[in-house]
Amino acid sequence: MSEAVLILGATSAIARATANAFAARGNALYLASRDADELRRIAADIHLRYGVEVHHGLFDAEATDSHGAFLKSVVTAMPKISGVVLAFGYLGDQQAARDFSVGAKVIAANFTGAASILSHCANYFEPMKSGFIIGISSVAGDRGRQSNYVYGAAKGALSLYLQGLRNRLHPSGVRVITVKPGFVDTAMTYGLPGLFLVASPQAIGERIVHALGKSADVVYLPWFWRYIMQIIRHIPEPIFKRMKL
Ligand SMILES: NC(=O)c1ccc[n+]([C@@H]2O[C@H](COP(=O)([O-])OP(=O)(O)OC[C@H]3O[C@@H](n4cnc5c(N)ncnc54)[C@H](OP(=O)(O)O)[C@@H]3O)[C@@H](O)[C@H]2O)c1
């Protein structure tokens, strides 16, 4: 069996494109998400297109108590798991998320659940002294804005968590890459006002796999978001707080 990649949140549009790009390289896949029927369809489609081995299983980011057993079942089914792509995420209604009972779900899905499964993955790869973790965060985590600060805070925390993991796992030879997409044309952004420079999920998926062959630790996708966010981060707070963003 070729080296296998675990994709968490595999029904997401970006994850699907990433899975296709890995399969095109000949990687076997373990696809995990909450929707069993959709997983079955995606797995069959990828197997048919690329002839690679594709397993799938249920994974809920918020069910943190199940994450240890989940990872054990993955590596039992596919002992050659060499890397993980964390692709799940939940934007939710950011206006409604001003109520913490709603905002808590955004934080649970994007950060608490991510930190939970990543801790299991890190503890698995570290003694093996190999492997990679690709975490899909967001440019939204680079600066708090009134339109999406709950999601942004969860993604910002995820970016910091990945940075710390990278520092911890570097001596073990485990690669940790933080991916920060800008706007991407997926169900998450469908119908949202004010989108610009919107990328296709296919372009993002291909660049995610491409990033593995490069040395960058933090990858903005498409590349120009690095410079857009540099400008946004440098706007002085007394000015920034008056802006409607
Ligand atoms: N689209 C953008 O503009 C954009 C920009 C920056 C970053 N991102 C990030 O990119 C990643 C992929 O996003 P996308 O745009 O491709 O999103 P998408 O198509 O809306 O998919 C989101 C995925 O997350 C899964 N998910 C949500 N909550 C989950 C949970 N508790 N447990 C397990 N899976 C859960 C969903 O599964 P179900 O189908 O079961 O709900 C779905 O597969 C996310 O991390 C997102 O935050 C997206």
Side-chain angles (χ1 to χ4, degrees):
M1 193 212 304
S2 59
E3 299 226 313
V5 181
L6 166 62
I7 313 247
L8 299 163
T11 51
S12 108
I14 293 174
R16 215 179 282 212
T18 309
N20 273 272
F22 271 117
R25 293 195 331 173
N27 288 107
L29 296 167
Y30 192 108
L31 306 178
S33 201
R34 297 184 293 191
D35 185 336
D37 290 338
E38 191 60 9
L39 277 176
R40 212 171 294 120
R41 273 192 287 273
I42 298 170
D45 179 70
I46 292 179
H47 177 66
L48 199 67
R49 281 175 200 273
Y50 305 101
V52 297
E53 186 177 346
V54 188
H55 288 237
H56 55 89
L58 289 175
F59 169 79
D60 184 345
E62 289 164 71
T64 53
D65 286 348
S66 68
H67 289 180
F70 163 77
L71 190 63
K72 275 202 186 96
S73 70
V74 171
V75 299
T76 303
M78 296 188 108
K80 276 199 161 177
I81 290 283
S82 62
V84 175
V85 180
L86 185 146
F88 58 81
Y90 175 60
L91 178 61
D93 178 340
Q94 291 293 293
Q95 191 72 22
R98 292 176 177 197
D99 176 340
F100 186 67
S101 62
V102 179
K105 190 175 159 55
V106 176
I107 293 167
N110 292 294
F111 179 62
T112 317
S116 165
I117 187 62
L118 287 179
S119 69
H120 290 287
C121 294
N123 295 344
Y124 175 74
F125 286 127
E126 191 172 36
M128 289 172 47
K129 302 210 173 295
S130 68
F132 66 84
I133 292 171
I134 299 176
I136 306 185
S137 184
S138 172
V139 296
D142 277 15
R143 191 153 192 185
R145 297 186 285 123
Q146 60 178 293
S147 58
N148 69 357
Y149 63 87
V150 180
Y151 173 77
K155 286 297 198 183
L158 174 60
S159 297
L160 269 186
Y161 189 93
L162 288 164
Q163 187 176 44
L165 266 192
R166 177 157 49 243
N167 189 213
R168 168 187 154 193
L169 295 176
H170 177 71
S172 310
V174 181
R175 180 103 187 270
V176 179
I177 303 176
T178 307
V179 173
K180 296 184 179 182
F183 296 122
V184 188
D185 184 15
T186 71
M188 185 173 280
T189 52
Y190 181 76
L192 286 183
L195 303 185
F196 57 95
L197 299 173
V198 180
S200 74
Q202 288 72 23
I204 301 298
E206 280 162 20
R207 296 317 288 179
I208 287 173
V209 175
H210 181 77
L212 260 184
K214 301 283 173 189
S215 59
D217 298 310
V218 179
V219 180
Y220 285 82
L221 291 178
W223 59 271
F224 46 75
W225 280 97
R226 176 179 296 278
Y227 302 102
I228 294 174
M229 294 317 295
Q230 222 164 49
I231 294 166
I232 290 179
R233 275 198 315 274
H234 282 89
I235 299 171
E237 197 63 23
I239 297 171
F240 194 78
K241 72 180 179 190
R242 291 180 168 82
M243 294 173 77
K244 199 149 176 53
L245 290 165

